[in-house]
């Protein structure tokens, strides 16, 4: 093969990979809408060695296209500062408040989906053009995997709902740790709540090894009101989500709550649900019709409820991992009450603020972009296969955060898990 032909093919691969990366970043899925756009010019991403999306939305994407940079991307965090002013003529010199920072590492790995396009006889017999449908199938597999990996890390659990549509297996699967790339971290103690009780929600509780949830503790308007009150009273809550162009972002702080389809159904039974949907449309008009407000969503008390694509669900007897201590990331085990039987389960909602999760991308040798296509014929050109791949890693952002008085708590920076009971739908 001539040098000119090799160069031409390399350029074609780069353009194809860049286009694939841009297409993936712009897809209109629930999880994709929780991240801002990359700085302009995805097709020229290699010219800008490192790119990062806005920290005002829950998912922060970082692209590192440097050669030999290793398989980790670091994100940095400046600790909160506590101080009182020095008044009048008192000496201020030498009393400066110290600035401390921490960092979080996100490892990246290669994920690939091959699709068998068959052989010569398959092409003759097939009523469809296999090559034409092969690429959309591969793209759909990768997009679903990316979204489900994001959801799993945000929730701090994969759950046990499972069917053919899942690309991330349950935790018992032999390849689970490889597929999620980075450890899936259970919610920190100060970021884990359950529905029910006199206050509408309470801290995650365990009694005799079982979660202290009743089958009647479903998601409703009182639960959401309690979540809003909790946000306003706990120290250092998740930062408000700031949508580009939202003119009331500072006056009316916004958080996003991803809820399961059954939690959404429970909440939608409220007599005021139509008004809640109208609230979302009204807020969209103040935010230049940002796509975050599209689809099935409703706005109540500063919380935008959105339906997540798949439930993070725990059935009767399933294990739920939790952190029992504020000052430790060690995880303990509780079980869903056996009394839930086959009619009820626990679904996890996730309340999101800014900088909840880091999604890092690395450089592939196939065109130099995070995403890539490969096609191959074999067996003397009789059989054909195509493959889509990505170099990526996902990790919830967690820090050991100064609370004041020298006390530090492990804290999931931008996400709170809220477990509620659900009635299992007939098709679940």
């Amino acid at each position: 093969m001539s040098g000119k032909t090799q160069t031409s093919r390399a350029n074609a691969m780069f353009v194809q990979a860049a286009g694939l990366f841009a297409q993936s970043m712009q897809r209109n899925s629930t999880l994709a809408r929780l991240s801002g756009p990359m700085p302009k010019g995805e097709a020229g991403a290699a010219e800008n060695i490192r790119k990062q999306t806005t920290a005002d939305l829950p998912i922060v994407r970082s692209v590192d296209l440097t050669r030999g940079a290793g398989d980790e991307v670091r994100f940095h965090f400046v600790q909160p500062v506590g101080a009182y002013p020095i008044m009048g003529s008192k000496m201020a010199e030498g009393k400066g408040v110290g600035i401390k920072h921490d960092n979080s590492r996100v490892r990246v790995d290669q994920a690939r989906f091959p699709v068998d396009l068959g052989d010569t006889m398959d092409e003759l017999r097939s009523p469809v053009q296999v090559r034409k449908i092969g690429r959309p199938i591969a793209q759909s597999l990768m997009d679903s995997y990316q979204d489900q990996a994001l959801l799993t890390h945000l929730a701090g659990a994969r759950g046990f709902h499972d069917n053919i549509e899942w690309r991330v297996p349950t935790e018992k699967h032999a390849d689970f740790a490889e597929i999620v790339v980075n450890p899936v971290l259970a919610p920190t103690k100060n970021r884990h709540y359950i529905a029910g009780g006199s206050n509408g929600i309470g801290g995650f509780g365990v009694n005799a090894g079982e979660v202290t949830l009743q089958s009647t503790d479903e998601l409703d308007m009182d639960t959401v009101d309690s979540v809003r009150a909790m946000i306003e009273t706990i120290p250092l809550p998740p930062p408000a989500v700031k949508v580009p162009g939202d003119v009331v972002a500072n006056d009316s702080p916004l958080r996003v709550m991803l809820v399961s389809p059954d939690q959404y159904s429970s909440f939608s039974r409220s007599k005021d649900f139509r008004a809640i949907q109208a609230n979302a449309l009204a807020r969209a008009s103040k935010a230049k019709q940002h796509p975050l407000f599209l689809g099935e969503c409703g706005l109540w008390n500063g919380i935008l409820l959105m339906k997540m694509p798949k439930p993070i669900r725990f059935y009767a007897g399933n294990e739920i991992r939790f952190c029992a201590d504020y000052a430790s990331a060690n995880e303990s085990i509780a079980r869903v009450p056996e009394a839930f039987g086959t009619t009820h389960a626990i679904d996890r909602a996730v309340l999101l603020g800014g900088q909840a999760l880091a999604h890092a991308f690395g450089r592939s040798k196939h065109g130099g972009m995070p995403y890539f296509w490969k096609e191959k014929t074999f067996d003397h050109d009789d059989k054909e296969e195509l493959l889509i791949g990505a170099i990526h890693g996902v990790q919830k952002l967690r820090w050991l955060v100064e609370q004041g008085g020298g006390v530090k708590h492990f804290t999931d920076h931008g996400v709170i898990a809220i477990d509620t009971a659900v009635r299992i739908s007939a098709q679940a």
Side-chain angles (χ1 to χ4, degrees):
M1 185 182 292
S2 69
K4 183 177 180 181
T5 303
Q6 287 179 328
T7 302
S8 177
R9 291 192 63 176
N11 289 339
M13 177 64 75
F14 175 79
V15 171
Q16 189 178 73
L20 178 63
F21 178 61
Q23 179 181 345
S24 179
M25 295 301 96
Q26 295 164 3
R27 68 186 188 278
N28 190 29
S29 70
T30 301
L31 276 299
R33 293 197 293 269
L34 293 172
S35 178
M38 283 289 177
K40 290 185 178 180
E42 285 93 347
E47 298 173 7
N48 300 312
I49 299 302
R50 185 166 293 176
K51 291 187 172 186
Q52 182 171 306
T53 59
T54 176
D56 291 331
L57 288 169
I59 298 173
V60 180
R61 289 193 171 107
S62 176
V63 182
D64 189 351
L65 300 180
T66 55
R67 273 190 193 276
D71 64 350
E72 288 186 345
V73 177
R74 287 190 179 188
F75 290 78
H76 295 274
F77 170 71
V78 177
Q79 287 281 359
V81 174
Y84 297 114
I86 296 172
M87 304 301 293
S89 299
K90 293 180 180 178
M91 179 69 71
E93 185 176 342
K95 298 179 180 179
V97 176
I99 297 176
K100 302 175 184 177
H101 75 277
D102 198 355
N103 65 76
S104 181
R105 299 178 180 181
V106 182
R107 191 172 68 86
V108 298
D109 202 354
Q110 178 177 248
R112 297 180 294 172
F113 284 99
V115 175
D116 183 1
L117 300 181
D119 56 25
T120 301
M121 296 310 298
D122 289 330
E123 187 173 345
L124 289 174
R125 299 186 187 109
S126 176
V128 298
Q129 292 181 294
V130 178
R131 171 181 280 275
K132 284 190 175 181
I133 66 172
R135 281 178 173 258
I137 288 173
Q139 179 77 65
S140 175
L141 291 171
M142 181 61 77
D143 289 347
S144 296
Y145 162 64
Q146 295 269 329
D147 284 349
Q148 291 170 17
L150 293 170
L151 180 59
T152 297
H153 278 278
L154 283 170
R158 159 60 175 83
F160 296 89
H161 178 270
D162 205 24
N163 58 32
I164 195 173
E165 296 177 350
W166 276 95
R167 309 291 163 237
V168 176
T170 59
E171 295 183 8
K172 302 298 183 183
H173 193 281
D175 296 331
F176 175 78
E178 281 187 295
I179 290 171
V180 295
V181 184
N182 292 285
V184 176
L185 306 175
T188 54
K189 184 173 176 59
N190 61 356
R191 292 292 196 254
H192 199 177
Y193 292 82
I194 56 175
S198 58
N199 295 322
I201 63 168
F204 187 85
V206 181
N207 181 31
E210 292 187 338
V211 183
T212 55
L213 259 175
Q214 305 296 319
S215 60
T216 54
D217 294 330
E218 298 182 353
L219 180 73
D220 56 23
M221 293 180 70
D222 288 340
T223 310
V224 178
D225 283 335
S226 300
V227 170
R228 174 60 187 265
M230 173 264 292
I231 292 172
E232 294 179 339
T233 54
I234 64 173
L236 305 171
V241 172
K242 294 184 179 180
V243 175
D246 186 359
V247 296
V248 295
N250 292 323
D251 297 325
S252 299
L254 182 72
R255 271 85 176 185
V256 175
M257 184 186 288
L258 291 180
V259 299
S260 74
D262 283 296
Q263 286 175 321
Y264 190 87
S265 176
S266 173
F267 188 83
S268 67
R269 289 195 289 270
S270 164
K271 61 182 177 62
D272 297 318
F273 187 67
R274 295 298 179 191
I276 293 168
Q277 289 179 308
N279 291 343
L281 293 174
R283 185 64 177 259
S285 68
K286 295 175 178 146
K288 300 182 179 179
Q289 302 300 326
H290 191 276
L292 186 65
F293 300 96
L294 299 178
E296 295 184 84
C297 63
L299 180 63
W300 178 252
N301 209 354
I303 296 175
L304 183 69
L305 287 93
M306 300 174 61
K307 188 187 295 186
M308 63 176 67
K310 291 283 179 289
I312 302 298
R313 173 165 296 170
F314 308 88
Y315 298 96
N318 285 160
E319 294 180 348
I320 297 181
R321 293 182 292 111
F322 69 99
C323 294
D325 189 347
Y326 290 109
S328 173
N330 293 337
E331 297 178 0
S332 301
I333 298 293
R335 294 185 179 277
V336 178
E338 294 289 351
F340 276 36
T342 59
T343 59
H344 289 77
I346 292 178
D347 278 7
R348 176 163 295 172
V350 284
L351 181 79
L352 303 175
Q355 288 182 281
L357 177 138
H359 193 183
F361 293 93
R363 174 185 181 135
S364 164
K365 68 177 183 180
H366 307 294
M369 297 295 292
Y371 283 73
F372 58 91
W373 285 111
K374 295 292 287 185
E375 295 186 20
K376 185 175 183 179
T377 58
F378 55 101
D379 190 18
H380 303 280
D381 294 340
D382 179 62
K383 299 173 179 62
E384 194 169 6
E385 188 175 68
L386 68 80
L387 176 145
I388 186 174
I391 309 292
H392 89 121
V394 181
Q395 184 69 78
K396 182 167 55 173
L397 291 174
R398 169 179 294 178
W399 321 102
L400 187 58
V401 179
E402 177 73 45
Q403 304 289 309
V407 176
K408 289 185 177 182
H409 289 173
F410 281 95
T411 303
D412 292 338
H413 180 67
V415 57
I416 293 175
I418 302 161
D419 294 338
T420 79
V422 295
R423 284 174 282 182
I424 301 174
S425 60
Q427 300 299 318

